Amino acid sequence: MEFAAIIVVIIVALVFDYTNGFHDAANAIATSVSTRALSPRTALLMAAVLNLVGAFLGTSVASTVGGGIIAPPEGLSGLVVVLAALIGAIIWNLVTWYFGMPSSSSHGLIGGLVGAALASAGTVKWAGVVDKVIIPMVISPLVGFVLAGLVMIILLWIFRRGRPSRLTRGFRHAQTVSAAAMALGHGLQDAQKTMGVIVLALVVGGYHEGFAIPWWVVVLAAGALSLGTYVGGWRIMRTLGRRIIDLDPPHGFAAEATASTVLYTTAFVFAAPISTTQTITSAILGVGATRRLSAVRWGVAGNIVVAWVLTLPMAALSGAVAFWIIHALVA
């Protein structure tokens, strides 16, 4: 029974990873597509390949998600907690994708874990949630906004005498590199969260010790994320690429370069599972504000912030409801 439950959890985890891919495809490529630096299909293919590569660059974030958020009971009851958390995260991903809101799949998963654990009267490692989730969730968008604005101001000063048409062509080429860096960072960050949950299920089920990530878990998570990315999340892509601000290549390059820097730093230095969605969105807002404040559609930005704030509690609620339903069925 427990082995069958583990298989179910792994399959559902890969479904979540797939939804994460198409939900967050816009993170890597929306700015490059909107500025016509890359065609949509070329950008998606590049993002899918580099998501796959990025997933193999590290596992520290996966260990944080697997062992630093909750401590579910062992056996079947613990597997029900993990399964419910994944279902809650998938539900929130689909809801926000339907409305075109770039919410965080990462925080959806963490919210699902917390909600399912609380519903089961399990243990939530609140110190880990605060240190590795809440604080980075608040700081990373602020850093992305300010740093992107500074990068944009520096670029404007350096190229202040440049010919606009030549600069546009040059930054279109540069955006190929910055978009690739974003896709690599997305794979590095987001595939690891699914790896962590799969290993958590293996530990709870008694099939693994510790939170080191087996190679086959890396391969499965990387493949599911990459496939989902290639399918693409066109609704959210329109929101990031056009509805917040009309980007040009220099602004797009500055946003992507800044966001990817934040992703690498938090993954390699702090092992913190931050949101790629929040990071690129705040960077877009930061570069847009350097043009003039009125250039940013702050109403759209406000709706996105509301989705950010709601993600943790709503995903937690979804995870809790999923636990109660599954528990009633298997009890």
Side-chain angles (χ1 to χ4, degrees), residues 137-153:
M137 181 179 72
V138 174
I139 293 178
S140 59
L142 295 177
V143 170
F145 180 87
V146 174
L147 188 59
L150 290 175
V151 169
M152 193 66 236
I153 290 171

Side-chain angles (χ1 to χ4, degrees), residues 85-136:
L86 288 165
I87 292 174
I90 290 170
I91 290 172
W92 186 245
N93 262 0
L94 294 177
V95 168
T96 51
W97 166 81
Y98 180 80
F99 289 104
M101 285 291 99
S103 69
S104 169
S105 297
S106 306
H107 294 153
L109 177 59
I110 292 166
L113 286 169
V114 171
L118 291 175
S120 68
T123 301
V124 177
K125 299 180 180 179
W126 291 110
V129 173
V130 172
D131 292 343
K132 296 294 187 178
V133 180
I134 303 298
I135 292 176

Side-chain angles (χ1 to χ4, degrees), residues 224-280:
L225 182 71
S226 179
L227 182 61
T229 298
Y230 186 68
V231 172
W234 301 105
R235 292 173 184 264
I236 296 173
M237 200 179 299
R238 283 193 293 270
T239 299
L240 284 179
R242 288 296 181 186
R243 289 181 60 199
I244 296 176
I245 185 173
D246 293 323
L247 291 170
D248 57 20
H251 288 79
F253 170 80
E256 290 170 339
T258 301
S260 58
T261 300
V262 174
L263 291 178
Y264 297 136
T265 302
T266 52
F268 288 124
V269 178
F270 301 107
I274 70 163
S275 167
T276 54
T277 306
Q278 289 183 356
T279 305
I280 186 60

